[in-house]
Amino acid sequence: MRYEFRFPDGRLWVHGVDLAPVPPEPGPEWARLGFQQCGNCPLKVAEIRDCPFATALARPMAVLARSPSYEEVAVTVSWRGREVRQHTTLQRALGSLLGLLGATSGCPHTRMLRAMAWFHQPFSSSSETFYRVVGTYLLGQHLRQERGLEPDWNLDGLRELYRNLRQVNLGMAGRLRAAAEEDSSLNGLILLDLLAADTLYSLDSYEGELDGFFAEFFEEE
């Protein structure tokens, strides 16, 4: 998958994302696992040098850290023979990219999002994200049941996943504050955390936001 950023001054920056697991390259000092390590991180400094999520953010940070979040950019996302183009702020564009990087980074708390990464939808709204999250998780539970494993139809595991994900986002924000010269990457991560918070709220306090799209499912046989 390929993200292409075109800036008003003519700059072009391209970042490819490999959805298959690949060995990470050594990251900068702020990507060290022990540097502002997330409070819920299960990894051990004695065993792993770098934080997987932070390492995935290193290249975007190096290129984009000096650009303000409000800067307008033209973004083209290419994958599976398709292109999505959008004129938006760098903050929103980075939020889309950082979500994909997190899901494919190898972080223990984001690994369950890898299935969503295979069917990535750039610039999705909160309702679209909620639909994809719940749909992906329930399909995963169906596939677990097909293999004789215990499914989680009550979405308890999904709620726990998003509680952990919010802590990861806060931890990454702390790292980026230490590394960024401007606020673009940090604000992109904050936007990502707002989506995570909104999804968790919808899971805990669903008020029928999507019911109108499923009217046929509520009909009596």
Side-chain angles (χ1 to χ4, degrees):
M1 188 174 298
R2 169 186 166 105
Y3 268 74
E4 181 181 285
F5 291 70
R6 290 188 180 274
F7 293 85
D9 62 4
R11 283 180 296 148
L12 172 65
W13 182 71
V14 177
H15 189 70
V17 181
D18 193 336
L19 301 187
V22 295
E25 297 180 0
E29 287 298 316
W30 60 265
R32 292 290 183 97
L33 183 61
F35 181 79
Q36 300 196 30
Q37 186 174 5
C38 298
N40 62 340
C41 179
L43 303 178
K44 299 185 183 303
V45 174
E47 300 173 357
I48 297 177
R49 178 186 184 273
D50 293 334
C51 164
F53 196 166
T55 303
L57 300 182
R59 184 169 177 266
M61 276 291 297
V63 176
L64 302 173
R66 298 183 182 183
S67 298
S69 61
Y70 54 78
E71 186 169 10
E72 292 287 328
V73 292
V75 184
T76 301
V77 185
S78 306
W79 83 115
R80 294 185 175 179
R82 307 173 193 162
E83 284 190 352
V84 173
R85 300 173 184 267
Q86 183 146 340
H87 288 267
T88 187
T89 62
L90 185 56
Q91 172 184 345
R92 181 157 170 72
L94 277 177
S96 180
L97 174 59
L98 297 188
L100 181 61
L101 291 174
T104 57
S105 68
C107 169
H109 289 306
T110 64
R111 57 190 295 271
M112 295 298 291
L113 302 177
R114 182 176 290 277
M116 288 181 63
W118 285 101
F119 301 96
H120 181 58
Q121 182 175 335
F123 315 114
S124 57
S125 66
S126 58
S127 60
E128 289 169 333
T129 299
F130 181 61
Y131 175 85
R132 293 175 59 241
V133 165
V134 175
T136 300
Y137 190 80
L138 289 176
L139 178 56
Q141 300 314 304
H142 170 71
L143 296 176
R144 279 181 60 85
Q145 184 173 262
E146 289 290 298
R147 287 158 175 76
L149 302 172
E150 185 69 25
D152 171 30
W153 298 121
N154 293 325
L155 307 181
D156 293 333
L158 184 57
R159 292 183 180 89
E160 181 65 18
L161 186 156
Y162 267 82
R163 292 188 185 100
N164 280 319
L165 186 59
R166 291 217 62 197
Q167 291 190 54
V168 169
N169 288 343
L170 291 174
M172 290 301 105
R175 289 178 184 271
L176 295 186
R177 283 191 188 96
E181 296 183 28
E182 277 287 354
D183 65 348
S184 57
S185 295
L186 178 59
N187 276 283
L189 194 64
I190 290 172
L191 180 65
L192 185 63
D193 185 58
L194 290 175
L195 278 174
D198 195 50
T199 298
L200 181 58
Y201 177 81
S202 296
L203 287 169
D204 288 337
S205 307
Y206 180 69
E207 297 179 350
E209 295 90 342
L210 300 180
D211 284 5
F213 303 108
F214 289 85
E216 290 75 14
F217 287 84
F218 307 142
E219 297 173 356
E220 295 289 345
E221 293 292 337

